[in-house]
Amino acid sequence: MSERFTKGMARNIYYGGGAFFFLLFVALTVDTVTVLPKRENRELLTVEVAHGKEIWEKNNCVGCHSLLGEGAYFAPELGNVFPRRGMNDEAIFKAYFSAWMKAMPTGVEGRRQMPQFNLSEKELNDLAEFLIWTSRIDTNDWPPNIEG
């Protein structure tokens, strides 16, 4: 570079870069706002799903589990637990989920243990409904494998 880097050149790079990245931000925001309604499943929200989410939050499930990639990684990802353990049959999944939750902690030596939350049948059903609803969100194939 034979000429000096001047204040004017620096200013042009600053303003030009700022404008470019601002326009990029606006374009990505518009893209996200238009794509999200196609990927969510808001029309499937029920009172049971909402109550299941309240149970999820009240018992701090995200403190150990992740849900759609968000949360802790101490215990398995639960965003895809319905197709992974329920074979896409709600009755099978609810029976499996209820039995699993009631059997905790297993007491197996050397394994991480899930606490017993002593949830009622209604609470277990609503939590299962929340996990089923979550699994039906179009996550663009996340997690990348069935075991989370």
Side-chain angles (χ1 to χ4, degrees):
M1 194 153 69
S2 61
E3 68 182 74
R4 264 184 48 194
F5 191 71
T6 65
K7 286 183 181 180
M9 293 168 69
R11 182 184 59 244
N12 291 341
I13 291 171
Y14 175 78
Y15 286 126
F20 171 78
F21 284 106
F22 176 75
L23 292 174
L24 180 64
F25 174 75
V26 169
L28 290 173
T29 301
V30 168
D31 179 61
T32 300
V33 168
T34 57
V35 169
L36 277 180
K38 299 172 194 164
R39 297 180 69 185
E40 68 182 17
N41 58 357
R42 186 177 301 187
E43 67 280 354
L44 300 176
L45 271 175
T46 63
V47 173
E48 291 81 13
V49 171
H51 186 239
K53 180 155 187 334
E54 288 174 17
I55 295 166
W56 172 269
E57 291 173 349
K58 183 178 104 185
N59 291 293
N60 191 28
C61 299
V62 77
C64 295
H65 294 276
S66 59
L67 188 65
L68 306 178
E70 293 290 325
Y73 292 95
F74 180 74
E77 161 73 37
L78 294 181
N80 65 350
V81 72
F82 172 56
R84 190 171 69 218
R85 299 292 184 253
M87 293 154 273
N88 288 320
D89 182 309
E90 290 187 23
I92 291 173
F93 176 72
K94 288 179 181 179
Y96 165 82
F97 184 73
S98 179
W100 175 264
M101 292 292 289
K102 290 175 182 175
M104 294 297 121
T106 60
V108 176
E109 189 72 28
R111 288 198 53 149
R112 294 178 270 183
Q113 300 294 309
M114 184 169 153
Q116 176 54 258
F117 290 104
N118 297 311
L119 300 175
S120 69
E121 281 299 322
K122 169 117 177 67
E123 290 173 321
L124 287 170
N125 182 67
D126 292 351
L127 189 53
E129 284 289 337
F130 170 66
L131 294 174
I132 291 168
W133 179 84
T134 303
S135 74
R136 292 182 173 149
I137 296 172
D138 179 5
T139 59
N140 202 24
D141 297 327
W142 179 264
N145 64 56
I146 191 66
E147 287 301 322

